[in-house]
């Protein structure tokens, strides 16, 4: 049985592309792991305090340099824990000067939550066992609501915090 010349060419082309695509998928899956960029850091969800960033005294907004801040928060049903202020009150609002660079580091102790600063492109999924982080610059003044956009239970719609960007 002889193969026609064009049949041979197409066979080689077909098998060749299959091998190439499988190689690309294999490379993507095994070379550096498959975790998306924001989920590289891992954490024990049962003991988040073991990580310095999530100790009670390090939660909330911390100034780390001129115009540079870090926000550490623990999401849980149905609350974003930003720590307490000097008066021992629960922090619900982050007050940030306009033009600041802010690194958000968020983890969860129970189920998957969302972290979306409404009106900006800050939008992360927060998964148990991982630290989701995202750095952004706040260059518009105003009040922005941080909302949970992953359904997490009966109190899902009550889960929010506020970012206030001032001049
Ligand atoms: Cu947390 Cu929805």
């Amino acid at each position: 049985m002889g193969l026609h010349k064009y049949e041979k060419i197409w066979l080689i082309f077909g098998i060749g592309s299959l091998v190439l695509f499988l190689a690309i998928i294999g490379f993507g899956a095994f070379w550096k792991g498959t975790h998306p960029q924001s989920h590289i850091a891992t954490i024990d969800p049962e003991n988040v305090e073991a990580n310095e960033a999530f100790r009670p005294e390090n939660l909330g907004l911390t100034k780390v340099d001129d115009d540079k801040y870090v926000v550490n928060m623990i999401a849980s049903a149905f609350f974003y824990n930003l720590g307490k202020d000097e008066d021992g009150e629960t922090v619900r609002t982050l007050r940030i000067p306009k033009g600041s660079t802010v690194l958000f580091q968020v983890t969860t102790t129970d189920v998957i939550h969302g972290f979306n600063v409404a009106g900006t492109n800050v939008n992360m999924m927060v998964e148990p066992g991982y630290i989701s982080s995202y750095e952004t610059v706040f260059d518009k003044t105003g009040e922005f609501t941080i909302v949970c956009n992953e359904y997490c239970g009966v109190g899902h719609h009550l889960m929010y915090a506020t970012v206030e960007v001032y001049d």
Side-chain angles (χ1 to χ4, degrees), residues 78 112-114 148-153 156 159:
F78 303 99
I112 292 178
H113 295 279
C148 179
N149 57 6
E150 294 287 337
Y151 184 72
C152 53
H156 162 71
M159 202 166 161

Side-chain angles (χ1 to χ4, degrees), residues 4 6-7 25-26 31 42 52 60 68 87 102 108 112 115 135 144 154:
H4 192 273
Y6 288 132
E7 253 182 328
I25 291 171
W31 183 51
T42 56
E52 211 185 318
K68 281 212 152 205
D87 305 323
V102 181
T108 161
I112 292 178
F115 177 94
E135 193 176 74
F144 303 88
V154 287

Side-chain angles (χ1 to χ4, degrees), residues 10-145:
W10 281 111
L11 259 180
I12 291 167
F13 178 75
I15 293 168
S17 13
L18 185 68
V19 169
L20 177 70
F21 294 151
L22 285 175
I24 291 171
I25 291 171
F27 181 74
F30 299 114
W31 183 51
K32 268 193 174 174
T34 49
H35 296 309
Q37 193 69 40
S38 61
H39 293 156
I40 281 176
T42 56
I43 189 169
D44 177 4
E46 316 240 291
N47 187 18
V48 292
E49 285 88 10
N51 185 308
E52 211 185 318
F54 300 103
R55 287 198 195 130
E57 68 271 22
N58 293 333
L59 293 178
L61 185 72
T62 309
K63 187 169 183 163
V64 288
D65 206 344
D66 284 347
D67 302 327
K68 281 212 152 205
Y69 294 82
V70 170
V71 171
N72 297 326
M73 62 160 80
I74 303 170
S76 63
F78 303 99
F79 180 61
Y80 288 117
N81 189 351
L82 288 163
K84 305 226 188 261
D85 63 16
E86 304 89 70
D87 305 323
E89 297 286 328
T90 302
V91 176
R92 302 306 312 267
T93 302
L94 300 164
R95 299 196 72 244
I96 297 166
K98 185 183 162 186
S100 305
T101 304
V102 181
L103 172 67
F104 289 99
Q105 304 188 119
V106 193
T107 192
T108 161
T109 51
D110 43 37
V111 296
I112 292 178
H113 295 279
F115 177 94
N116 173 219
V117 184
T120 72
N121 61 355
V122 183
N123 191 4
M124 301 190 281
M125 195 189 252
V126 185
E127 294 168 76
Y130 296 99
I131 301 169
S132 302
S133 52
Y134 192 92
E135 193 176 74
T136 192
V137 178
F138 284 98
D139 46 19
K140 264 189 278 172
T141 56
E143 270 200 20
F144 303 88
T145 306

